[in-house]
Amino acid sequence: MTEPPHVTETRTAYDTVAVDYARLLEGELARSPLDRALLGHFAELVALGGGGPVVDAGCGPGRITGHLATLGLDATGIDLSPGMVAEAQRRHPDIDFRTGSLAALDLADGSVAGVVAWYSIIHTPAALLPEVFAELHRVIRPNGLLLLAFQAGGFSVRHEQAYGHEVTFDAHRHDPDHVAGLLTVAGFRVTVRTERAPQDYEKTPQAFLLARRD
Ligand SMILES: C[S@@+](CC[C@H](N)C(=O)[O-])C[C@H]1O[C@@H](n2cnc3c(N)ncnc32)[C@H](O)[C@@H]1O
């Protein structure tokens, strides 16, 4: 099957910026107590549910995967970009990272206790989110968890530069109401929904949705 052009473009862009993205976002989580609180909440709920493997889908250089591991989770990372996977593996040699796509994960049905997709659905056009959520629903076990983070908005931005490189890609600022509705249709129950104002270099509010698979 031919790969959609936006997927090829996203991979190329992140392969190009991987090393500088990792360097520039280093320490970002330390400056974001709400982000850490939400990831901590996710980790505690996974533990309360008996534990099990969790996947950081669209893991980039593994900064969230590493944090989940420090919270005691059995975390692995998957990303579209081989450059990002190499950077993640270099930074976190004890964690398993591999290439893969949010829309077609190389994971068995119901095999994970939870998925974190931290700013990775931002490169999927809104019209294609249902197929991503169907795939996440397939791999998460019943009552398992899905945590999403994304820039809120309801519009898309074309980038021609990022992280010090000339790269072209689209970033979709999804509408949280729309995303929550799509999660419900896909078979998830949204249990936490929050937004915070932009901080530091951010330009838009940041949205976070935690959902349980039915
Ligand atoms: C903004 S970065 C976020 C990386 C990481 N989650 C973090 O917070 O640092 C977006 C990442 O999602 C990955 N990505 C985008 N679309 C994807 C898809 N369809 N499947 C898997 N990974 C994807 C990109 O390659 C990139 O590494």
Side-chain angles (χ1 to χ4, degrees), residues 10 14 21 58-60 63 79-81 84 100-102 118-120:
T10 302
Y14 278 104
Y21 176 98
C59 61
R63 64 191 185 100
D79 200 279
L80 201 56
S81 152
M84 280 295 201
S101 164
L102 281 171
W118 202 255
Y119 296 96
S120 53

Side-chain angles (χ1 to χ4, degrees), residues 6-7 10-11 14-15 21 25 56-64 78-81 84 100-103 105 116-124 132 151 163:
H6 75 274
V7 175
T10 302
R11 180 189 298 108
Y14 278 104
D15 276 347
Y21 176 98
L25 269 82
D56 182 9
C59 61
R63 64 191 185 100
I64 303 301
I78 292 177
D79 200 279
L80 201 56
S81 152
M84 280 295 201
S101 164
L102 281 171
L105 293 163
V116 173
W118 202 255
Y119 296 96
S120 53
I121 63 164
I122 64 172
H123 301 299
T124 299
V132 166
Q151 293 97 353
Y163 311 107

